[in-house]
Amino acid sequence: MQPAIKGFPPYGISVVVKFGGSLMRDLEACRAALAELERLGRRGHRILIVPGGGIPDKAIEAVDATHPLAPFTAHHACALAQDQTAYMLSDPALSSDLVACSTLGQCRFRLREGKIPVLLPSQILFALDPVEWSWDVTSDAVAAWIAWLTNTPKLAILTDVDGVYRNASTGDPTALIAESSADELGRLGHTSIDACAAHFMSQHGLSGVVLNGAHPHRLGDWLEGKQVTGTRITSTPHIISAPQTALGAA
């Protein structure tokens, strides 16, 4: 986290967590993962959640598979799908400390209250239009961009597998890549982290981890510097730094 510049206070986020929509297939496991995030928040970790598209996104993909949608339609519908997932994750049915936030200013305010903001990304994405309108760009890349935009030092991708596997061999524990540079992951193409996110992390000096959200304690262990089952992503610091911005001021 970069030091504050006079007149531009930091957002104060310690970790951006991309919460994969795949984790909503088992709602009890989803609740357990969210409960762990709440526990970490109460222990002082300042978490910002960027949701995946989840169930709504799958419906959009199903339509596109048989009746290909225009890039404009697919992009905007998928961004709104992330919003819908955010609302569900922050509902009392699944969590107690999570709050859906449409601006970064709201996120900052909720963090000060001791809550965990869940970003509704569509408003920021529509206003700034930072990513290509393509199926190649997923919520992983959006989470990486948000981490860079807010000068957050850590990015965790929570998904439904243990990490990134060689040749996509998710059933073979020996194929799990324990550590890789972001650049190397980008060259692998789309895995359990999309290639656009990996390339972005490489270019902007972001590091992080891909973890299985079904084992939520691994996130806390990683934040404490312990060895965990997952894929640690390293990146060489780059001269491109995130802008200090008043975007989303409350």
Side-chain angles (χ1 to χ4, degrees), residues 109-131:
F109 179 77
R110 291 301 190 179
L111 283 166
R112 289 171 180 166
E113 289 187 327
K115 299 295 186 179
I116 298 177
V118 186
L119 185 65
L120 301 162
S122 68
Q123 181 172 312
I124 295 174
L125 292 176
F126 296 166
L128 298 184
D129 198 27
V131 299

Side-chain angles (χ1 to χ4, degrees), residues 89-191:
L89 294 178
S90 56
D91 188 87
L94 295 180
S95 64
S96 57
D97 291 346
L98 275 62
V99 182
C101 298
S102 60
T103 70
L104 294 178
Q106 290 175 8
C107 291
R108 178 188 280 137
F109 179 77
R110 291 301 190 179
L111 283 166
R112 289 171 180 166
E113 289 187 327
K115 299 295 186 179
I116 298 177
V118 186
L119 185 65
L120 301 162
S122 68
Q123 181 172 312
I124 295 174
L125 292 176
F126 296 166
L128 298 184
D129 198 27
V131 299
E132 183 179 347
W133 298 356
S134 166
W135 288 106
D136 292 332
V137 179
T138 74
S139 51
D140 292 347
V142 173
W145 178 70
I146 290 293
W148 169 75
L149 186 67
T150 57
N151 285 322
T152 302
K154 295 180 179 179
L155 171 64
I157 307 289
L158 297 188
T159 184
D160 60 349
V161 293
D162 284 342
V164 179
Y165 289 77
R166 297 179 186 86
N167 302 317
S169 301
T170 55
D172 180 7
T174 65
L176 178 65
I177 301 172
E179 183 170 320
S180 174
S181 71
D183 185 60
E184 290 170 338
L185 286 183
R187 289 197 293 269
L188 288 179
H190 188 80
T191 59

Side-chain angles (χ1 to χ4, degrees), residues 201-221:
M201 293 176 72
S202 175
Q203 288 296 308
H204 293 80
L206 295 173
S207 60
V209 69
V210 180
L211 297 171
N212 192 333
H215 303 279
H217 66 278
R218 293 176 183 173
L219 177 61
D221 289 344

Side-chain angles (χ1 to χ4, degrees), residues 2 45 47 53 92 135 163 182 238-239:
Q2 295 185 359
H45 295 284
I47 300 166
W135 288 106
H238 197 276
I239 60 173

Side-chain angles (χ1 to χ4, degrees), residues 13-17 45-48 152-156 222-223:
I13 302 162
S14 56
V15 59
V16 168
V17 174
H45 295 284
R46 294 169 64 85
I47 300 166
L48 170 62
T152 302
K154 295 180 179 179
L155 171 64
W222 175 71
L223 289 172

